[in-house]
């Protein structure tokens, strides 16, 4: 009996301890996690956690000093560029290691390796898109150039120097929770993160939907309802000018939509929710500081940790302040001692789809111009945690990878190949390295010339008083409609005809009007001679154009107020038409709402219920305006096009009458959903903006934020996206900057710096961005210091 | 008295050992100490030792770091933002691990004693039959 009792006791003890140590299935290893010495509690930090750290490393050439300011922004001082980037890698890994690992795994299709089989479809999709292939092309370019090679190697060494000295206790909390360990950093991972950004910013990918519209309704209908440029594009990025290619005519192919559309996938996954951005520059003549002013706010997913990591890099010939993307050396947006730059996404479509026809079911050859060309097979090996390793063969054609095969009807022997500028070799890292160091306009132009994908609107200002903007990146040379719809891959003429040469790119420097801006709008007016496909609605561009033309001079506060502007031009265009339609209509019990709508200033304030009502009403209207498009996988054409259609409400004909009835019916439905314009319907509650943890762990999300704005306001905050870095720089003799991003410098949810900036970002505050001299730290308060010494031989 | 000594020693040995090795040092030390010290009742003494070790540590960290982590752990494990729950569940986890280890340690010691006793009886029976 005693023996049985003893055996049972030991069995139970070992079972409990085993479960607590290793976990089982969905049960986490609670013993390891809850151990206050090494587990989750060990990641709790005090505010003065970073007071002093001294290390030595064999790869460091001379002593490096890092001082943290009160917001944990590192100011790195090195004696040479190698050590500067070593320190950048070291300090970024110190605060954002899990984020770097996660982004590289996400881009490279390696999440199921640590998170299990549920993530396999995502991993497979990333591999089939050729993101790893694209990163390998970029990596080869980075390593080919001596500057970018040296930068990326030093950065990689710095990240690995941090990883090497970690024990389980020091692991970021997500590694413990998800039960895996950090692995060494490589240049390929940096390239993967840049491709993750490139993929994130590639939009206008509606080729399949457009093809169905074209096939069913014809070319005229397609171009009318889904235009690339319209007469209302009065706010082009570059002013009207004489273009060098005015007489150029690209080869024009015979365009016809492919047959057998029912055998295509229903839709190709894509999302472009509010991934726009704003940037603008004011000349010294229009600036109250007497120096050019530059503003930039990229609108990206509102994640935690933030996509940005703020820092100041200083070494001989290098003195730059701004934000970096964790995992990527150099600064992506910022300013140095002579100049400043910012980015917005170009609206150009840089991803096209081709249907390729395989010779047989082996899919080893495909038809191209009456010839059978061999595919290049690339076997993607995906390791799955707790499951079988998956091998997926991706076939590469002249266009690029065949992304969709098995989603097609079996036996069709065809697939969808993707042609994307992201697969082309480019050296974006060299672009940012040179931008960080640029001193004048020619340096700026040289720096951006290495940038490939996707095309970005680079804005520029310097202390000499120059301002400029250039859309830079690979832009395919196409004939009209090419790339807007799916093309047959077996015709040579459907291939891109090369890329635009540099002199054709949209560019403008020092315009007479004294300002330049981009909000992802169309870069040219309708008179531009070349075909440019892809567009964003021009609501934000019209608003900033209005604000910049309003006064003769602007100060820093004006710039900040513009970034926080909540006026929605879409509402200003649409609401009067919608209210007009209600006149003479029989609408009852609507006085309170009608009064609120009539008095509304079109601003999306957080506390106001009127934006909530308007959005609901507008959305009901447009869903009734375009009932036909649902069968092509589309909700409705753009809001601009919808408003154009609404203009007919004033007509007395049958179309006008029908439209008025649509608007009235939508109003009645909306009215039945809303009680009164009180706090219950406040816009902030409807929108429920919050910063979400990248691994979607709710405990690490921020609370719901008290923010106004929508995707069409300059302050473009939606429920999941928003201005991830607001920056204003005055290019005085010694440039001064102000900025803020939602989140905090630390990626550790157990740090006081994790959500440090959120309240101030929500309130629209800015922090001074100071390029502090090393000696100044003797008298300035510092949140911490790191000394990195070369290892003694 | 022996039980109090057991609890104090588990805290003094188990917690520092966890710093250098693994969290398993806490239940292992509880098991070994129960084997040698034989606290009574072993399960309860182990439970108290483990709960005090991890509970006090977790509460100390929560206070020292101004409550930065407790609510998040509570939210992760119990869908609540009350840090007291996080400290509570941490204490309970430490307590249970030590309780079972202490029980096994104590039962092993009793088993060893019982075997010795039987051995002595058999040997005396053997000697009686011889003489």
């Amino acid at each position: 009996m005693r023996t049985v009792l003893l055996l049972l006791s030991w069995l139970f003890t070992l079972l409990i301890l085993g479960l607590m140590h290793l976990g089982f299935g969905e049960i986490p290893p609670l013993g390891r996690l809850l151990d206050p010495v090494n587990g989750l509690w060990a990641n709790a930090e005090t505010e003065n956690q970073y007071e002093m750290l001294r290390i030595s490393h064999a790869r460091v050439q001379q002593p490096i000093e890092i001082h943290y300011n009160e917001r944990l922004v590192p100011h790195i001082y090195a004696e040479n560029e190698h050590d500067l980037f070593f320190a950048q890698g070291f300090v970024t890994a110190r605060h954002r290691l899990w984020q770097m690992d996660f982004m590289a795994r996400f881009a490279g299709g390696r999440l199921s390796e640590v998170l299990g089989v549920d993530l396999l479809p995502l991993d497979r999709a990333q591999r089939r898109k050729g993101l790893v292939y694209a990163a390998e092309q970029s990596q080869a370019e980075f390593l080919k150039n001596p500057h970018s090679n040296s930068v990326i190697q030093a950065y990689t060494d710095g990240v690995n120097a941090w990883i090497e000295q970690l024990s389980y206790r020091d692991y970021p909390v997500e590694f413990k929770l998800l039960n895996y360990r950090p692995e060494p950093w490589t240049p390929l991972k940096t390239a993967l993160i840049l491709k993750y950004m490139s993929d994130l910013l590639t939009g206008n990918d509606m080729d399949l939907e457009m093809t169905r519209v074209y096939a069913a309704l014809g070319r005229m209908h397609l171009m009318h309802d889904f235009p690339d440029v319209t007469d209302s594009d009065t706010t082009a990025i570059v002013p009207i000018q004489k273009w060098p290619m005015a007489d150029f005519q690209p080869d024009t192919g015979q365009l016809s939509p492919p047959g057998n559309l029912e055998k295509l996938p229903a839709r190709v996954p894509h999302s472009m929710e509010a991934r726009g951005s704003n940037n603008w520059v004011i000349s010294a003549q229009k600036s109250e500081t007497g120096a050019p002013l530059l503003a930039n706010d990229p609108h990206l997913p509102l994640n935690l940790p933030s996509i940005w990591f703020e820092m100041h890099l200083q070494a001989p010939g290098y003195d730059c302040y701004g934000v970096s993307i964790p995992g990527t050396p150099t600064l992506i947006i910022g300013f140095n001692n002579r100049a400043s730059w910012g980015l917005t996404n170009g609206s150009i479509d840089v991803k096209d789809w081709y249907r390729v026809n395989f010779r047989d079911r082996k899919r080893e050859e495909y038809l191209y111009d009456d010839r059978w060309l061999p595919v290049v097979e690339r076997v993607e090996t995906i390791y799955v945690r707790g499951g079988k390793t998956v091998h997926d063969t991706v076939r590469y054609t002249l266009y690029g990878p065949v992304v969709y095969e098995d989603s097609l009807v079996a036996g069709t022997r065809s697939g969808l190949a993707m042609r994307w500028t992201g697969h082309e070799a480019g050296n974006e890292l060299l672009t940012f390295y040179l931008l960080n160091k640029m001193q004048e306009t020619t340096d700026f132009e040289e720096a951006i010339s290495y940038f490939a994908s996707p095309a970005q609107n680079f804005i520029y200002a310097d202390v000499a008083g120059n301002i400029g903007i250039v859309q830079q990146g690979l832009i395919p040379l196409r004939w009209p409609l090419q790339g807007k719809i799916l093309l047959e891959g077996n015709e040579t003429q459907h291939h891109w005809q090369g890329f635009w040469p540099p002199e054709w790119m949209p560019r403008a420097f020092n315009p007479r009007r004294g300002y330049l801006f981009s909000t992802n709008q169309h870069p040219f007016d309708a008179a531009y001679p070349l075909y440019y496909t892809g567009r964003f609605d021009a609501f934000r561009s019209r608003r900033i154009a209005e604000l910049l033309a309003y006064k003769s001079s602007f100060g820093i506060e004006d710039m900040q107020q513009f970034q926080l502007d909540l006026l929605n031009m879409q509402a200003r265009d649409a609401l009067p038409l919608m209210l007009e339609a209600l006149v003479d209509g029989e609408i009852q019990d609507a006085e309170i709402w009608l009064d609120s709508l009539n008095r509304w200033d079109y601003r999306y304030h957080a506390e106001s219920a009127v934006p909530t009502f308007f959005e609901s009403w507008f959305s009901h209207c447009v869903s009734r305006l375009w009932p036909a498009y649902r069968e092509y996988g589309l909700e409705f054409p753009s809001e601009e096009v919808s408003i154009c259609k609404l203009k007919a409400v004033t007509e007395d004909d049958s179309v006008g009458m029908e439209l008025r009835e649509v608007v009235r019916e939508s109003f009645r439905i909306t009215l039945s959903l809303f009680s009164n314009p009180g706090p219950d319907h406040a816009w902030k509650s409807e929108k429920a903006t919050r910063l979400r943890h990248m691994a979607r762990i709710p405990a690490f999300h921020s609370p719901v934020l008290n923010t106004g704005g929508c995707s069409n306001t300059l302050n473009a905050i939606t429920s999941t996206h928003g201005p991830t870095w607001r920056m204003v720089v005055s290019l005085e003799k010694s440039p001064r900057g102000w900025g803020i991003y939602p989140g905090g410098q630390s990626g550790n949810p157990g740090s006081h710096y994790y959500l440090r900036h959120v309240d101030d970002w929500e309130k629209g505050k800015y922090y001074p961005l100071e390029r502090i001299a090393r000696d100044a730290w003797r008298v300035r308060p510092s949140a911490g210091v790191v000394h990195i010494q070369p290892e003694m031989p | 008295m022996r039980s109090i000594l057991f609890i104090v020693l588990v805290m003094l040995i188990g917690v520092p050992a966890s710093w250098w090795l693994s969290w398993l040092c806490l239940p292992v030390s509880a098991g070994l100490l129960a084997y040698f010290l034989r606290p009574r009742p072993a399960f309860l003494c182990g439970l108290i030792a483990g709960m005090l070790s991890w509970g006090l540590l977790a509460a100390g960290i929560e206070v020292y770091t101004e409550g930065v982590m407790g609510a998040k752990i509570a939210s992760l494990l119990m869908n609540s933002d009350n840090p007291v729950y996080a400290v509570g569940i941490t204490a309970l986890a430490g307590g249970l691990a030590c309780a079972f280890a202490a029980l096994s340690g104590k039962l092993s010691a009793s088993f060893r004693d019982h075997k010795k006793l039987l051995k002595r009886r058999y040997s005396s029976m053997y000697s009686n039959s011889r003489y």
Side-chain angles (χ1 to χ4, degrees):
Chain A
M1 185 61 194
R2 276 173 194 276
T3 315
V4 173
L5 198 65
L6 180 68
L7 281 175
L8 275 177
S9 169
W10 271 111
L11 195 70
F12 208 69
T13 304
L14 290 176
L15 192 72
I16 290 257
L17 295 184
L19 265 177
M20 289 179 74
H21 189 66
L22 301 171
F24 182 75
E26 296 292 306
I27 304 168
L30 280 177
R32 289 168 75 187
L33 287 180
L34 291 175
D35 166 22
V37 180
N38 302 297
L40 302 180
W41 291 99
N43 291 81
E45 293 177 352
T46 58
E47 270 198 84
N48 50 6
Q49 183 89 8
Y50 303 101
E51 265 177 6
M52 177 61 80
L53 174 68
R54 286 181 189 278
I55 65 152
S56 57
H57 198 276
R59 295 278 171 87
V60 171
Q61 295 166 357
Q62 288 167 291
I64 305 167
E65 249 179 71
I66 303 168
H67 293 268
Y68 291 101
N69 77 359
E70 70 286 354
R71 292 186 291 110
L72 208 67
V73 175
H75 294 251
I76 303 175
Y77 304 93
E79 301 299 329
N80 58 70
E81 288 185 6
H82 170 274
D83 288 353
L84 186 70
F85 293 111
F86 179 96
Q88 189 189 13
F90 184 85
V91 83
T92 307
R94 188 183 191 195
H95 302 291
R96 299 290 186 89
L97 180 60
W98 176 80
Q99 178 187 14
M100 295 161 62
D101 180 89
F102 187 81
M103 289 201 302
R105 284 182 185 278
F106 179 88
R110 288 185 58 211
L111 283 178
S112 45
E113 203 173 307
V114 293
L115 298 176
V117 73
D118 290 349
L119 275 293
L120 186 58
L122 174 65
D123 282 350
R124 201 161 168 246
Q126 298 291 79
R127 304 281 186 114
R128 294 200 73 88
K129 271 196 279 187
L131 277 183
V132 182
Y133 166 80
E136 285 168 359
Q137 307 302 307
S138 288
Q139 183 192 220
E141 283 297 303
F142 298 164
L143 300 181
K144 220 187 292 174
N145 179 283
H147 294 297
S148 50
N149 185 356
S150 149
V151 167
I152 202 166
Q153 298 290 1
Y155 185 87
T156 302
D157 288 343
V159 174
N160 286 330
W162 175 257
I163 294 174
E164 281 158 16
Q165 48 86 52
L166 292 180
S167 66
Y168 178 78
R169 183 185 310 123
D170 311 312
Y171 285 0
V173 72
E174 292 92 345
F175 283 109
K176 295 177 183 176
L177 268 178
L178 304 174
N179 204 10
Y180 73 105
R181 61 180 61 194
E183 58 181 21
W185 195 254
T186 60
L188 181 65
K189 292 185 178 186
T190 294
L192 277 167
I193 288 179
L194 284 167
K195 286 300 165 194
Y196 158 79
M197 288 305 295
S198 187
D199 185 41
L200 186 76
L201 295 170
T202 298
N204 285 308
D205 187 20
M206 308 279 280
D207 301 21
L208 260 63
E209 292 86 342
M210 295 296 116
T211 308
R212 290 195 173 97
V213 173
Y214 184 28
L217 305 173
R219 182 181 179 133
M220 291 297 288
H221 217 97
L222 177 71
M223 294 311 286
H224 183 266
D225 289 352
F226 300 91
D228 291 307
V229 60
T230 70
D231 292 338
S232 63
D233 282 331
T234 52
T235 56
I237 292 175
V238 295
I240 297 168
Q241 52 190 281
K242 183 165 167 43
W243 293 98
M245 67 303 220
D247 302 325
F248 174 84
Q249 287 299 323
D251 295 339
T252 302
Q254 289 300 312
L255 190 76
S256 54
N260 295 327
L261 293 180
E262 69 281 3
K263 290 180 178 172
L264 295 172
R267 68 194 297 263
V268 174
H270 47 71
S271 165
M272 272 298 286
E273 194 197 344
R275 283 174 201 163
S277 306
N278 306 321
N279 63 21
W280 59 85
V281 275
I282 308 280
S283 69
Q285 292 73 32
K286 289 182 81 82
S287 161
E288 285 172 8
T289 66
L293 299 174
L294 182 146
N296 187 199
D297 54 306
H299 309 156
L300 295 169
L302 293 172
N303 282 340
L304 283 171
S306 165
I307 186 75
W308 303 114
F309 186 59
E310 190 179 335
M311 57 173 65
H312 172 208
L313 303 176
Q314 197 181 86
Y318 210 116
D319 186 3
C320 195
Y321 193 109
V323 282
S324 66
I325 295 173
T328 308
T330 72
L331 301 177
I332 307 295
I333 297 171
F335 63 100
N336 61 26
N337 56 333
R338 294 279 305 169
S340 178
W341 78 100
L343 304 170
T344 65
N345 206 9
S347 57
I348 183 77
D349 172 12
V350 292
K351 186 188 275 182
D352 290 349
W353 292 93
Y354 293 85
R355 177 153 66 186
V356 292
N357 296 304
F358 295 110
R359 184 168 203 165
D360 50 37
R361 291 186 180 204
K362 287 186 198 160
R363 302 182 177 197
E364 289 169 348
E365 291 174 301
Y366 63 102
L367 189 63
Y368 185 77
D369 236 9
D370 304 325
R371 286 175 298 149
W372 293 104
L373 297 185
V375 297
V376 176
E377 290 189 350
R378 181 184 164 108
V379 179
E380 297 285 352
T381 304
I382 309 174
Y383 299 102
V384 181
R385 187 174 195 162
K388 273 187 182 172
T389 299
V390 173
H391 300 282
D392 189 20
T393 303
V394 185
R395 294 165 181 85
Y396 281 72
T397 63
L398 279 178
Y399 302 104
V402 180
V403 181
Y404 296 96
E405 290 177 63
D406 43 12
S407 56
L408 302 181
V409 175
T412 56
R413 295 186 304 178
S414 63
L416 287 186
M418 185 175 85
R419 179 89 162 104
W420 177 40
T421 56
H423 288 136
E424 303 292 323
N427 195 342
E428 287 81 5
L429 190 54
L430 186 60
T431 293
F432 293 115
Y433 168 75
L434 294 174
L435 284 174
N436 286 201
K437 295 180 61 159
M438 68 183 169
Q439 298 287 298
E440 54 187 21
T441 315
T442 49
D443 297 341
F444 169 71
E445 297 210 61
E446 194 212 333
I448 62 172
S449 69
Y450 298 101
F451 193 90
S453 176
Q456 299 289 299
N457 299 308
F458 286 85
I459 205 153
Y460 169 85
D462 66 25
V463 295
N466 297 303
I467 61 171
I469 191 166
V470 180
Q471 186 169 108
Q472 180 65 37
L474 296 174
I475 298 185
L477 186 55
R478 305 167 169 126
W479 32 270
L481 269 188
Q482 188 185 5
K484 193 176 180 79
I485 64 170
L486 176 70
L487 298 164
E488 287 291 3
N490 55 6
E491 292 179 39
T492 321
Q493 61 175 1
H494 287 171
H495 224 297
W496 288 352
Q497 298 169 36
F499 298 105
W500 290 14
E503 62 273 19
W504 291 9
M505 304 304 283
R507 64 174 53 229
F509 282 88
N510 301 321
R512 198 181 302 165
R513 70 185 184 193
Y515 59 84
L516 290 162
F517 60 91
S518 75
T519 58
N520 322 99
Q521 79 272 34
H522 203 275
F524 315 104
D525 60 77
Y528 184 72
L530 291 181
Y531 177 60
Y532 185 102
T533 178
R535 68 175 282 116
F536 278 66
D537 279 344
F539 299 122
R540 280 180 293 119
S541 63
R542 283 171 48 213
R543 177 59 179 159
I544 191 65
E546 183 177 271
L547 290 169
L548 293 176
Y550 176 65
K551 287 205 308 184
S552 56
S553 69
F554 302 92
I556 304 293
E557 276 188 15
D558 291 320
M559 301 289 97
Q560 295 173 352
Q561 286 309 310
F562 294 172
Q563 287 185 334
L564 301 171
D565 186 75
L566 297 177
L567 191 141
N568 182 3
M569 297 293 271
Q570 172 215 351
R572 197 159 90 180
D573 291 348
L575 187 60
L577 296 169
M578 291 159 73
L579 288 171
E580 173 82 27
L582 297 185
V583 175
D584 301 334
E586 288 177 18
I587 311 283
Q588 291 169 351
D589 302 327
E591 290 77 17
I592 301 175
W593 280 108
L594 283 174
D595 185 46
S596 299
L597 288 164
N598 276 309
R599 285 188 293 111
W600 188 34
D601 61 1
Y602 312 112
R603 286 185 162 79
Y604 277 50
H605 291 293
E607 313 291 345
S608 172
V610 188
T612 318
F613 189 95
F614 168 76
E615 286 287 324
S616 175
W617 184 16
F618 187 79
S619 152
H620 279 108
C621 274
V622 291
S623 66
R624 281 166 175 72
L625 284 179
W626 312 102
Y629 284 120
R630 283 199 206 106
E631 63 187 272
Y632 312 123
L634 294 159
E635 284 289 307
F636 52 86
S638 72
E639 285 149 349
E640 271 179 348
V641 174
S642 299
I643 292 169
C644 274
K645 190 165 182 177
L646 273 176
K647 283 179 182 163
V649 289
T650 53
E651 305 296 329
D652 284 331
D653 55 10
S654 61
V655 176
M657 280 171 65
E658 199 179 313
L659 274 176
R660 284 196 289 277
E661 195 41 51
V662 162
V663 176
R664 285 171 195 161
E665 181 58 23
S666 308
F667 186 80
R668 285 189 198 101
I669 293 169
T670 309
L671 202 58
S672 69
L673 300 172
F674 289 78
S675 48
N676 57 62
D680 291 352
H681 301 300
W683 178 237
K684 64 176 180 184
S685 315
E686 171 72 13
K687 200 166 51 138
T689 304
R690 70 191 309 192
L691 311 175
R692 288 171 174 81
H693 186 264
M694 292 187 87
R696 300 296 179 251
I697 300 172
F700 300 157
H701 292 348
S702 78
V704 173
L705 304 179
N706 181 19
T707 56
C710 68
S711 58
N712 291 326
T713 54
L714 286 175
N715 189 7
I717 306 175
T718 68
S719 60
T720 56
H721 290 64
T724 49
W725 168 240
R726 294 187 184 122
M727 181 185 81
V728 174
V729 180
S730 174
L731 277 298
E732 295 157 35
K733 194 174 173 190
S734 177
R736 293 185 298 148
W738 295 264
I740 190 166
Y741 69 81
Q745 285 289 91
S746 175
N748 175 14
S751 166
H752 291 274
Y753 298 98
Y754 181 65
L755 295 172
R756 173 75 185 245
H757 305 161
V758 176
D759 283 351
D760 288 338
W761 179 82
E762 194 181 17
K763 289 174 190 153
K765 291 184 180 173
Y766 288 73
Y767 302 127
L769 314 177
E770 299 171 284
R771 288 178 302 106
I772 299 166
R774 184 196 300 220
D775 293 342
W777 288 104
R778 288 184 195 148
V779 291
R780 283 182 77 102
S782 159
V785 185
V786 181
H787 291 278
I788 309 178
Q789 303 285 343
E791 212 159 65
M792 298 300 276
Chain B
M1 189 61 200
R2 202 186 285 179
S3 301
I4 294 172
L5 182 67
F6 165 80
I7 292 168
V8 171
L9 283 179
V10 168
M11 292 170 72
L12 287 180
I13 297 171
V15 172
S18 300
W19 178 269
W20 298 112
L21 299 165
S22 155
W23 75 278
L24 285 168
C25 290
L26 189 75
V28 167
S29 64
L32 285 173
L33 286 164
Y35 183 84
F36 292 112
L37 295 178
R38 299 174 200 195
R40 273 190 187 179
F43 188 85
L44 186 64
C45 288
L47 189 74
I48 293 171
M51 286 188 80
L52 281 177
S53 300
W54 277 18
L56 286 177
L57 262 178
I61 290 171
E62 182 67 358
V63 171
Y64 184 61
T65 58
E66 298 169 59
V68 73
M69 200 63 176
K72 293 185 178 91
I73 294 177
S75 172
L76 267 174
L77 299 176
M78 307 172 79
N79 211 13
S80 154
D81 58 0
N82 188 343
V84 174
Y85 291 165
V87 173
I89 197 169
T90 303
L92 190 66
L96 281 176
C98 287
F100 280 104
L103 181 67
S104 297
K106 172 83 180 301
L107 285 176
S108 300
S110 305
F111 185 74
R112 187 196 61 176
D113 291 350
H114 185 66
K115 266 181 83 177
K116 268 187 187 169
L117 187 69
L118 286 179
K119 205 173 173 186
R120 230 178 285 144
R121 271 191 200 160
Y122 284 132
S123 56
S124 68
M125 279 169 65
Y126 178 72
S127 44
N128 286 344
S129 65
R130 205 173 161 191
Y131 296 101

